[in-house]
Amino acid sequence: MRVRDLLAPGAPRLRLLAAEEELDRQVGGVMTTDLQDPGRYLHGGELVLTGMLWRGRPEDSERFVRTIVAGGAVALAAGEAEVGPIPEDLVEACRRHRLPLLAVPDDIAFSTLTEFIGRQVSADRAADLAALVDRHRMLVSAAGGGGLDAVLDLLGGDLDLDCWVLAPTGRVVAGPADRLPAPDRDQLVRAHLAAQHQRRRPPHRARLASGSYSLLPASATPESGSPLADWVLVVAGDVTEWTTKRQQLAENLARLVAAERTRRDEGRRLRRRLADEMLTLLQGDADPAEISRTLYASSAMAARYDGPDPTALAAEGSWLVLSAEGTGLPEGAVRSVLEEALTDATDLALVSGTGTGAVVVLPAPESAVPAEALGELLAPLEAGLGSEGRITLGVSAPASEAGGLRGALEEARHARRIAAARVGRVCVAGPEELASHVLLLAAVPDEIRRAFRSRLLDKVIAYDLEHQADLVRTLEAFLRSDGSWTRCAAGLHVHVNTLRYRIGRIEELTGRDLSRLEDRVDFYLALELA
């Protein structure tokens, strides 16, 4: 029942004294008290009945009202039998806190009011239960007939409740994508992943320029491997301010989303076995014909009656290989993350798990997949990786035939090592970088890299720390200027003679000659390693 029902015909004769604008609040029960601090006994949704024996002076009203509002009370009913008319300081306190205040005449017993509320709440709960059963039947019917989109359409039309299911990359799994812009989706999944990483109790709340949203996770399954791969249910509004019945509906919807995710993961098991078989073939000395047969099986498994000929896909198409590794993540997490991130191509992609890493074989698009695009796709995951977690990924060039996939795998692994040498939580490198010096640096053991860098730069860095001489920055600028004294001096905003003095100091400290190409290359590589 609502607070306004206590003022309707047939209800006990109560008078409203404050907060008329809050009469639509739901009353879930009654608490009778004259304690000065009853907050610890409130659970939320109660109408508080009081004889005002707690009031010794006007200041007590503010403290009492503040306490019960914090405890979740929806209204206050004060009896006039013991202390007479309601004092003005109590009326003012309720106005300030927007708490409906009702006066109970001295001829109406608290027991009469309690019985009336109990009957109304019981009747409402019985009606709500019948409605909930009907709604559950409709939800199950919608889920069976049209998936999550049908369920969300039903809720939007029936309850005017906007909901979306998002993948951790911000992709819309279900729901009206046109009503949730991409920048909002990005912010929402980042907020969800950060809250999950911090182990905050759901529902998580996010406030954007477009409004408030509640985020409920679809719980991780053994197949998903990590919250980084979980879906999230996004509900417009703050569910913590809803009625209990409406909150239960949101929680049940989150369970339905989790069940749909589990069903989808179970459907991927056969494809995962095929992906593991493909990785075994690529890592071994398999005949290209065996690899072709596996590609054909992959295409045939995903073929639709109105789709392309799977034989043509396997025989004529080119394929990419991706190599990924996760740091600070559980086994299987990266595999699931890539399955979600590449879901538009998952019907034809083979994603194999290798402990904390993954290898993906997927059809190459008309233009090669740019590393930057993959980096942007995975960028929202940074919020859930924490300070220790990382995902590094390398992309091969397209292989035009099955026999070229083994080389593409090696290429992708080299590219991943380049990505691993970079700073960042999500780093991606592509085939265009494999002809660079970066490939050579990535293949050099860490101890050799550190020794090379130290031998060339330690004395220069130490001199900078002692004299604030800015030699390292000068060296970087000089190399970027291709050894041009005038351009470098202009870029640093110093006189050419000052620049010559600094370069001379670097040469004295290191015993190198920056007019020689070999020494310039050495310094350039050392700075790259730094």
Side-chain angles (χ1 to χ4, degrees), residues 16 30 76-77 127 179 181 196 215 242 317 332 360 364 388 421 460 477 500:
L16 178 66
V30 181
L76 174 64
R179 297 175 65 176
Q196 288 285 86
L215 312 173
W242 291 0
V360 185
E388 302 298 326
V460 181
R500 290 184 184 278

Side-chain angles (χ1 to χ4, degrees), residues 142-416:
L148 291 176
D149 276 310
V151 175
L152 301 188
D153 286 346
L154 172 64
L155 291 176
D158 192 28
L159 296 178
D160 194 26
L161 184 62
D162 285 337
C163 301
W164 300 264
V165 179
L166 301 181
T169 55
R171 176 181 60 87
V172 178
V173 177
D178 58 329
R179 297 175 65 176
L180 193 63
D184 287 359
R185 299 199 300 267
D186 183 82
Q187 292 185 61
L188 290 170
V189 295
R190 286 176 185 269
H192 165 70
L193 289 169
Q196 288 285 86
H197 181 72
Q198 296 163 9
R199 300 182 183 275
R200 298 209 304 266
R201 184 176 179 180
H204 311 133
R205 286 167 285 180
R207 183 174 295 278
L208 308 183
S210 57
S212 296
Y213 297 88
S214 298
L215 312 173
L216 294 91
S219 300
T221 64
E223 292 290 341
S224 72
S226 168
L228 282 174
D230 279 347
W231 290 346
V232 54
L233 171 65
V234 177
V235 182
D238 186 347
V239 301
T240 63
E241 297 178 353
W242 291 0
T243 64
T244 302
K245 179 186 72 172
R246 203 172 174 91
Q247 288 182 16
Q248 289 174 346
L249 182 61
E251 292 168 0
N252 288 337
L253 181 57
R255 294 190 187 99
L256 185 63
V257 172
E260 176 65 15
R261 170 61 193 273
T262 299
R263 183 196 65 76
R264 200 283 313 273
D265 284 343
E266 289 175 350
R268 282 181 171 171
R269 289 183 179 178
L270 180 58
R271 188 159 199 84
R272 285 186 167 193
R273 286 200 293 270
L274 194 63
D276 291 340
E277 179 183 336
M278 170 62 79
L279 181 58
T280 300
L281 292 174
L282 294 181
Q283 290 177 329
D285 191 21
D287 190 304
E290 290 187 64
I291 298 175
S292 293
R293 282 193 289 271
T294 305
L295 291 177
Y296 174 82
S298 170
S299 300
M301 185 184 298
R304 302 291 182 265
Y305 292 110
D306 58 349
D309 178 4
T311 307
L313 280 172
E316 300 176 8
S318 59
W319 298 76
L320 291 176
V321 178
L322 313 181
S323 174
E325 185 67 31
T327 303
L329 301 178
E331 291 192 7
V334 174
R335 179 184 205 169
S336 295
V337 164
L338 290 178
E339 283 177 334
E340 287 303 321
L342 301 171
T343 193
D344 291 336
T346 294
D347 282 351
L348 286 169
L350 294 172
V351 186
S352 176
T354 56
T356 58
V359 171
V360 185
V361 177
L362 74 163
E366 293 182 2
S367 58
V369 176
E372 294 81 1
L374 280 172
E376 292 175 5
L377 186 66
L378 298 175
L381 301 177
E382 294 175 351
L385 288 171
S387 59
E388 302 298 326
R390 290 191 79 203
I391 295 177
T392 54
L393 193 145
V395 187
S396 76
S400 59
E401 56 184 21
L405 283 178
R406 188 176 293 107
L409 174 60
E410 289 303 314
E411 194 173 66
R413 285 173 169 167
H414 282 305
R416 195 206 64 78

Side-chain angles (χ1 to χ4, degrees), residues 107-130:
D107 61 337
I108 295 180
F110 280 2
S111 60
T112 301
L113 183 57
T114 301
E115 290 173 4
F116 174 80
I117 293 173
R119 287 195 301 271
Q120 293 295 317
V121 170
S122 296
D124 286 349
R125 284 176 178 167
D128 288 346
L129 180 60

Side-chain angles (χ1 to χ4, degrees), residues 1-6 22-31 44-48 72-76 100 102 113-114 116-118 120-122 124-125 128 243-244:
M1 66 176 296
R2 301 181 184 274
V3 176
R4 68 173 61 256
D5 295 334
L6 294 169
E22 300 293 337
L23 295 182
D24 284 327
R25 294 181 176 185
Q26 290 279 349
V27 178
V30 181
M31 176 188 179
E46 294 94 346
L47 169 76
V48 175
V74 296
L76 174 64
L102 306 170
L113 183 57
T114 301
F116 174 80
I117 293 173
Q120 293 295 317
V121 170
S122 296
D124 286 349
R125 284 176 178 167
D128 288 346
T243 64
T244 302

Side-chain angles (χ1 to χ4, degrees), residues 442-453:
V444 175
D446 286 345
E447 61 273 14
I448 296 178
R449 290 153 58 98
R450 285 193 295 269
F452 180 78
R453 181 178 65 239

